[in-house]
Amino acid sequence: MARPNLAEKDILNPSEAIDYFILSRRKFYDLLKNMDGEDFLAYYGERKLVLRVAFEKYLLHHPELRRRG
């Protein structure tokens, strides 16, 4: 079975979010470690998952998370 396109998924794991949004891995994991209950986070037990549409809105105000060059 083929993997779904990340643009079609509503919920991404942190690794998928880094790949899809072209994020700095270090900055993103620091964000996840220091954020709790952000609007773009969902929890599955202890795992933090990223709500794609809400995170897209968050990135509009925080472009510093993206990788440079």
Side-chain angles (χ1 to χ4, degrees):
M1 188 153 77
R3 293 181 129 186
N5 183 347
L6 294 180
E8 296 172 358
K9 291 181 72 174
D10 293 327
I11 300 174
L12 304 170
N13 67 42
S15 181
E16 291 172 332
I18 289 167
D19 292 341
Y20 181 71
F21 292 110
I22 310 170
L23 303 174
S24 163
R25 186 170 300 278
R26 180 186 55 81
K27 289 180 184 178
F28 185 66
Y29 279 111
D30 284 346
L31 173 74
L32 289 183
K33 185 167 45 169
N34 296 319
M35 293 285 183
D36 196 31
E38 258 324 292
D39 291 342
F40 62 82
L41 291 177
Y43 293 88
Y44 183 73
E46 293 290 317
R47 292 180 59 194
K48 292 182 181 179
L49 302 171
V50 178
L51 303 173
R52 185 182 48 81
V53 174
F55 190 64
E56 286 173 344
K57 292 176 186 174
Y58 180 84
L59 274 180
L60 290 175
H61 301 288
H62 300 289
E64 69 276 5
L65 290 174
R66 296 207 185 251
R67 270 188 244 147
R68 297 181 189 205

